[in-house]
Amino acid sequence: MQCLEGDFSYTMLMIQMLFQVVATDSGTPSLSSNVTVNVFILDQNDNAPVILYPLSSNGSAEGVEEIPRNVNAGHLVTKEVTDHSLFGLDRYTGQIRTLRSFTETDEAEHKLVILVKDNGNVSLSATATVIVKLVEPKEAFAASDIKSAAKDDEDDNFHVVATDSGTPSLSSNVTVNVFILDQNDNAPVILYPLSSNGSAEGVEEIPRNVNAGHLVTKEVTDHSLFGLDRYTGQIRTLRSFTETDEAEHKLVILVKDNGNVSLSATATVIVKLVEPKEAFAASDVKRQEASAEIRYLVPEEVNDGTVVGNIAKDLGLDKALLVDRRFRVVPGSKETFFEVNSDDGALQVRRKIDREEICHGSGPCLVELKILVENPLEMHHVVVDIADVNDHYPSFSENEQTFEIGEQSSLGTRFQLHAARDPDAGTNSIRTYTLTSNDHFDIEVIQIVATDSGTPSLSSNVTVNVFILDQNDNAPVILYPLSSNGSAEGVEEIPRNVNAGHLVTKVRAYDADIGYNGWLLFSLQEVTDHSLFGLDRYTGQIRTLRSFTETDEVEHKLVILVKDNGNVSLSATATVIVKLVEPKEAFAVSDVKSAAKDDEDNNVTFYLMITLGGVSVLFTISIIVLIAMQCSKSTDYTSKYLQETNYDGTLCHSIQYRSGDKRETMESWKRSSNYSWCVLILNLLLIVAKQAVAELRYSVPEEVKEATVVGNIAKDLGLEKAYLIGRRLRIVSGFEDTFFSVNTDNGALQVRSKIDREELCHGGGACLMELKIIVENPLEMHHVVVEITDVNDNSPSFLEKEQHFQIAEHTSLGTRFQLQAARDPDVGVNTIRTYTLSSNEYFDIDLSQSDEDKIPFLVLKKPLDREENKKLLLLVTAIDGGKPPRSGTLNVSVTVLDINDNRPSFSQDVYQIQMYENVPVGTAVARVHATDPDEGNNGDIEYRIAKALEPKIYETFELNLLTGEIKLGAPLDFEESEIYKIDIEASDKGTPPLIGRCRVVVKITDVNDNSPKIDVTSLSNTISEDSKPGTAISLISVTDKDSGVNGKIISRILNDAPFELKPSYKQNIYSLVTKEHLDREKVSLYEILIQATDCGNPPLSTLKTLSIRVSDVNDNSPRFEKNPLQFYLSENNAAGASIFSVRATDIDMDDNAAISYYIVRGGSKDDVTAFLNINLENGQIYALKSFDFETLKTFHFQVVATDSGTPSLSSNVTVNVFILDQNDNAPVILYPLSSNGSAEGVEEIPRNVNAGHLVTKVRAYDADIGYNGWLLFSLQEVTDHSLFGLDRYTGQIRTLRSFTETDETEHKLVILVKDNGNVSLSATATVIVKLVEPKEAFAASDVKSAAKDDEDDNVTFYLMITLGSVSVLFIISIIVLIAMQCSKSTDYTSKYLQETNYDGTLCHSIQYRSGDKRYMLVGPRMSIGSTIVPGSHANTLVLPDRRRTSEEVSHALESVVFSSHLYHS
């Protein structure tokens, strides 16, 4: 066999190569034939895309593109792939274009990272980076833009030139277009917020009194108080904050892409609400002069009448006047829970309070009450804080959660569980989740317990069902045949004369997977002769398909493929060598003796013990029988053997003696002195009876005429023709003799009736008929085998006359479609030889050999096109190998199925629409229409608005997905957008669906509906408290998009503040200046309310609030949020890197709040602060060395924060650092351990141990803790997987089964010990297991010394002596038994009755019939089949019933047991 000596490359060889193979025999002269082989190279995805542009000077795929800032939408930036909101990408050409015009707020530089991937099953990819810089337009820029556009066309493709080495050389070129496809291989990266330590965390402080719509930050969230723009990442407030809202909100944001397997990142934003200063609150609450606020706290669920607080006392009111002043709570919704006692001025609970009913969420639950007193009129504000009690259990939305997890999921893979809900707040809310003990998904059910932090704590649990999904990760393992070196090879020897259906062997295999992944199928991959052997594909049994002939080879090689049924099937092969041997009588005996001798040589002691036990048992039984016979003797033999006239039994046991022509009665024979010799001769004759049988073999074709001579039996058997009639030559009556007869005149075997081989023999094996030929005087029986040879008398036929296929029009070339196989009852060369296909341009026919059948396949050679041919009619012809050949036909129809290969097409590429901005919602905007020439679902169209458009488009317009009608879904606003560009997609319902696109451009016409707009520029929101009057703070510009009178504006400050608007020389431009001195201690924050009103009718106005903060002097020291601080640091940190940071705050401003940090260092030698350094400005702490958890687990130090004021102030904080363990220690093997320190050991175990025997235990430890120190054991290498098993948790090695004689005496086991760290570390240990033979002193030798070795050597000698002694006693007992039987009385009168009409050559027989359990004398007219056959049980007696005397048993043993003894001896 010629082997492949190199790799084929599709890109080098293209798609086809051709060569010829010549087959030559070894005759003289030699003959040869050749065949042409066409090899088609199929492309595989083995080349990653290569970036041609952009390409930097160092070879990396990076480039910089400069474009003017004033380019219009659609400008060609470059030809690469991108995903940015400012740019659009053509996914097939790689062109990047701008989607809109740039504004002043857009960044000047944009980085685009492009992923280019191919469409292979396992796609390959490359990336390119494009830096887009916005530059100011210049005169010369237009020229460069034209040049770059010309260059773009060149960059669309590149040319490859192939040149040969001839003279002159010839060449050709090909244009290669590279289309770069994106693959989702990059998780989102959080740019903001970003903390100083690099984590995606940030803190945003906003005033509590901001209005709805205030921009918090530009990140993603889904909290109830905040709204998220899912495209821009802006977080805005959805409503104004109230007093009940918490002061701090933690928002965890998930940022994910839209890949098939989406990737994500998270960011954390802490939103802190800060209170406006005292002066701010006073100005805001100035509506009432006598306003005051009192705060109380009361737990929920308290009893009615519980006193919350004494309002009269706290407000300084006279209790005696409360009734007259009508002291009361102003009615409202939440005030129904409280009332005031006008007698003592106490605030009381009116009815039961449920905090969860009043306040939703985890923030403070505040109830604001208005307390009114008259004469004079006063209103007081009282805030009651409802404290939470732990009155709710955590609860899960569902009691069970199910995961389906692949069995090879990576360690550390995360699976999100349902979160529990607890209406309680604060510490009573959910504190933690716990997991019930499990073996890391080795069990199916896990329980999750959610526990809150209340006192007492409440908990709830949920059951999680985890189903481990099997993957096809285990190849089949061959159990038999298995050679001594472990390979799946075996040799089977079978006699040449076995019949069809003989079981040769059974291939056994198993697969550790389950379901379809573990379902094994067997197939013959290679066989020397397909007509000889068949394989059961489900059981693996190999059987003969026909009898062997003299022409068959002596040795046959069968290669069996065992494969599972996984999606990607795994397989193994086994090789069976079948050797044909000649049948011999001694073949089996010699095989057994040789096997026994081998075992005896190796296990003398073991077999001597078994033999001794067997002989001892036989000896004991013989003694018992002898005693029983002596005790039951009787001399009455009358009617012992009577002729049974009405016999109706089922069995007849007989002893017969052939004496030729001499006849003796049984009585005289028994009296003769040659009794023993006669019995011995009788048994010898019976043994060689079968040797006298001859066998002849003839062959005759089927369908021959009657009286056709098959062969001359008389001649072949050496019989004289003259005596054939006298000796009654004939065929014994049977089924076969109806087809044949014997001519007694000449001894010829003739055909008696027409023979149909297919009717007699089914299958492809040899058709043999066995005839029994009888001749008499003397009686002889001969066996004749007639082989019926096949003639081509049957045509191939198909089970069904028609077969139909439905094939998609773009099915891949080379796809095979199995046709039904034809059937031909003929065999050999007369069976089906080939299949032909009617002429067509789309399909060829190909044959596949399966066992001995040829399976036809249609092979697609040209792509189908439904538009050309919707249906094809083909004719398949099956032709046999007869002469002349016969054939059968099959009509094949192929229906070409439509696939989705046409995109929907719009009637217009661009629809232009114009509308007024004040048209009502629901107005029809336009109707788009697309068509698709495909059929069925492939032609059904649905419309949708394209993704990745401006969010406003989805809010403003609605599209009917069936009709394509666009309606107005929200009011239009000319000032927001003058034009809307709506990209519409029309998608069919094919698989996969195809999409057509068009654009609808909606232009908006303006109407007068705008209020004035106040813009604040150059705002300085901080002013020093010592500023002089007239100091300018900011410049204010007021504009109105309307024109005429509607655009005239009047501006003023509404509230009372020490500021004024000073007009500028330019209309509608003002300066905000101070008009008096400021005092920060009185007011630190001013909210200035500016109103701008136009002169329209009715007038429209706008309010603008400016926040002005007064700066402070340095009167506050820095403060840390917590003291002490705790940090957790992983060991093995990089020396010199930042490990964590501390942060202090100073409520002062500017330099007074500029904080510097330093570490308080001790003077001791072991002071850990010597290895720490701190950044003076930001508090980043750096470690100058790498810490080791095993050496140092925790330490602490102090950090001092000092501000930069004059004089400076400072504070300190204690920092506790806890070192976290990392998996940096590999497991260490404790046992086994050799003398040289290597992890190796030898274990000796007896060969006769049972399954489950503990061989040894591998011990190891890991210096790490937790998961890093949790060790798992696995077998990395083992000579026989079926012998030993390893407990993965304890390291115990046990036997899986008992050892057999074929098992090797030494086994090497390599054990892998690894920990459970994220990057696990491992060690290996080697255990050599030696099997030793069991001995009596074996167990004792483990405890005692080896002093008794000499005694063990004498065991065999003593056993042989004992065996010999018992055998001698046994033989003596048998001799005594025979002597006692021979000394009996000789009176046998009427024991054997004389047959009066005896005329044959056979003596009388003693027969025992099982029907009536009686002995009787039988005459000589018995058939030859009733004689004793060697090896049968015809000489075994059934004990008589209880009515028989003991003497009958004794005399039965006299004649039969003795005969049996002589026969076996």
Side-chain angles (χ1 to χ4, degrees), residues 394-585:
S395 62
F396 292 91
S397 58
E398 297 178 358
N399 289 331
E400 289 190 0
Q401 186 173 359
T402 300
F403 291 103
E404 291 185 347
I405 303 173
E407 64 174 322
Q408 290 185 328
S409 297
S410 302
L411 294 179
T413 304
R414 296 158 62 93
F415 304 94
Q416 185 173 349
L417 297 165
H418 296 317
R421 297 289 182 266
D422 191 336
D424 296 326
T427 58
N428 295 328
S429 185
I430 296 173
R431 174 178 57 87
T432 184
Y433 291 83
T434 61
L435 183 67
T436 55
S437 177
N438 69 91
D439 294 331
H440 301 280
F441 301 121
D442 284 344
I443 59 174
E444 294 184 346
V445 178
I446 301 172
Q447 274 198 335
I448 305 298
V449 179
T451 307
D452 59 30
S453 301
T455 305
S457 64
L458 302 177
S459 63
S460 179
N461 63 68
V462 63
T463 300
V464 181
N465 296 312
V466 180
F467 299 98
I468 308 299
L469 302 181
D470 182 52
Q471 286 188 340
N472 191 25
D473 56 346
N474 292 285
V477 177
I478 305 297
L479 299 178
Y480 182 83
L482 204 63
S483 67
S484 58
N485 60 3
S487 61
E489 296 180 356
V491 178
E492 299 291 335
E493 293 185 350
I494 59 174
R496 183 180 287 274
N497 61 345
V498 296
N499 296 325
H502 175 78
L503 177 62
V504 177
T505 188
K506 180 178 179 179
V507 177
R508 288 186 278 274
Y510 83 98
D511 194 315
D513 297 317
I514 63 172
Y516 279 96
N517 295 331
W519 182 23
L520 301 182
L521 294 179
F522 301 82
S523 61
L524 278 173
Q525 189 178 27
E526 180 183 336
V527 61
T528 53
D529 190 341
H530 284 279
S531 67
L532 271 177
F533 301 99
L535 174 67
D536 190 303
R537 64 181 309 199
Y538 301 106
T539 65
Q541 290 182 342
I542 302 174
R543 294 182 180 273
T544 56
L545 297 177
R546 60 173 175 82
S547 300
F548 294 98
T549 63
E550 295 297 332
T551 59
D552 290 327
E553 295 182 359
V554 176
E555 185 173 303
H556 299 270
K557 180 179 180 181
L558 286 74
V559 179
I560 294 90
L561 176 68
V562 186
K563 67 177 181 179
D564 54 33
N565 278 272
N567 287 336
V568 180
S569 62
L570 304 177
S571 61
T573 58
T575 302
V576 177
I577 306 297
V578 180
K579 294 184 178 180
L580 306 184
V581 296
E582 295 300 331
K584 299 177 182 179
E585 289 186 4

Side-chain angles (χ1 to χ4, degrees), residues 11 47-55 79-80 92-93 116 151-162 172-180:
T11 55
N47 293 286
V50 177
I51 305 296
L52 299 176
Y53 184 83
L55 206 63
K79 186 176 178 183
E80 287 302 322
Y92 300 107
T93 64
V116 188
K151 186 177 182 295
D152 286 337
D153 295 335
E154 298 176 1
D155 292 336
D156 287 345
N157 52 63
F158 63 92
H159 298 281
V160 176
V161 179
S172 63
N173 60 70
V174 62
T175 300
V176 180
N177 294 302
V178 178
F179 303 104
I180 303 170

